[in-house]
Amino acid sequence: MLAIAAAATVATGTFAGTEELWNNGPLVTFPGEGAGGADVSSISPGLGNFGVNINQPAFRRADDFTVGAGGWRINSFEAFAYQTGSPTESSMTGLFIRIWSGVPGEGGVVVWGDIETNLFTSTSWTGIYRTGNDPADFQNTNRPIMSIVGDDLGILLGEGEYWVEWAVTGSLASGPWTPPVSDPVEPIIGNSRVFSVADAAWTEGVEANELGFELAFVMTGETSPETPCTTSTESCTEAHSTPGCSNAACCSQVCTFEGFCCDVEWDAGCVKLAVELCGLYIYDC
């Protein structure tokens, strides 16, 4: 989907209930038709890539997603990749994630994470083989697709349009490669982007025929009801006996962590959180 550049906001309300927040598209095209009854992820007609390079540090990929009203706490991010010739025992070793508000390379800004911290927590075979789209290719086992997961992320995002940037590492020489989202009948055209360290630039991810594509990833976590922060005319950096403060965005972020600040009063603890979470300063005359 096409992302619209937007300023980052912060999540509001009380979070509850782990669920799948975003699934960026299917990989399986022919369930159970692969070797040994495995699922097949075949190249979509009209496209040509088994997968695209996502090997940190040489390449990073990005795709967009939308956070609903009230905001999300993203606790888990799942990527998908293979290393050609690997067994079904995963060879993946690393996962690196950043969140952008706005389009990477086109005015977007990073609002969470860095590209140096390895957030990898687990990996396993998905039960899917990546193959060509000729049925004669469905028994090929050269590209078992692995799940690569980062857990306990605690990413707080308010309603809006975002991009997730990620890269992975593996212990084998090939790739890792991440497969585009697939359909057995027609190509799924998308707007994913790629950062090449050699070129030091973000560009559109395109096939040889210049068609763009989507990349598969899954986010799980918690949603929040649309509960706006209680605001007041009082400064966020000064304690006062009423709830909320004058900076609505900072007020929401503080109250995500400590509801007391929006329910009872904005005390010294709320001021401390405002300074730490919102980057505010206390000025002394």
Side-chain angles (χ1 to χ4, degrees), residues 7-230:
T9 58
V10 294
T12 63
T14 302
F15 292 90
T18 296
E19 60 185 278
E20 183 176 278
L21 300 173
W22 189 270
N23 189 323
N24 207 50
L27 282 175
V28 175
T29 52
F30 295 95
E33 295 192 26
D39 293 334
V40 168
S41 174
S42 58
I43 298 172
S44 295
L47 301 181
N49 284 331
F50 286 105
V52 291
N53 204 322
I54 197 166
N55 181 29
Q56 165 77 350
F59 293 94
R60 306 195 293 270
R61 300 280 167 173
D63 220 326
D64 57 328
F65 65 98
T66 303
V67 175
W72 291 352
R73 176 183 280 126
I74 302 169
N75 293 328
S76 177
F77 179 85
E78 181 180 18
F80 302 92
Y82 65 85
Q83 294 196 277
T84 306
S86 82
T88 54
E89 181 180 346
S90 180
S91 56
M92 302 301 169
T93 59
L95 176 63
F96 305 82
I97 307 166
R98 290 199 296 192
I99 305 294
W100 294 69
S101 176
V103 183
E106 295 186 4
V109 294
V110 174
V111 295
W112 185 91
D114 61 71
I115 208 61
E116 291 80 30
T117 302
N118 188 351
L119 300 173
F120 172 94
T121 55
S122 65
T123 183
S124 60
W125 182 40
T126 60
I128 308 169
Y129 287 110
R130 184 69 170 169
T131 76
N133 53 31
D134 187 325
D137 296 332
F138 291 177
Q139 300 303 305
N140 189 297
T141 61
N142 284 338
R143 300 173 181 86
I145 299 174
M146 306 301 169
S147 162
I148 308 101
V149 177
D151 281 326
D152 300 321
L153 301 178
I155 305 170
L156 291 169
L157 295 176
E159 179 181 359
E161 306 288 335
Y162 298 90
W163 287 71
V164 58
E165 169 193 2
W166 75 102
V168 299
T169 55
S171 60
L172 303 182
S174 171
W177 313 87
T178 187
V181 169
S182 298
D183 183 89
V185 178
E186 59 185 6
I188 297 176
I189 308 304
N191 64 337
S192 67
R193 296 180 67 80
V194 57
F195 184 87
S196 165
V197 171
D199 297 333
W202 283 98
T203 56
E204 296 180 13
V206 294
E207 296 267 354
N209 57 10
E210 300 302 315
L211 288 178
F213 50 85
E214 288 290 286
L215 294 173
F217 63 89
V218 176
M219 295 174 170
T220 59
E222 303 160 79
T223 59
S224 171
E226 192 173 3
T227 306
C229 175
T230 301

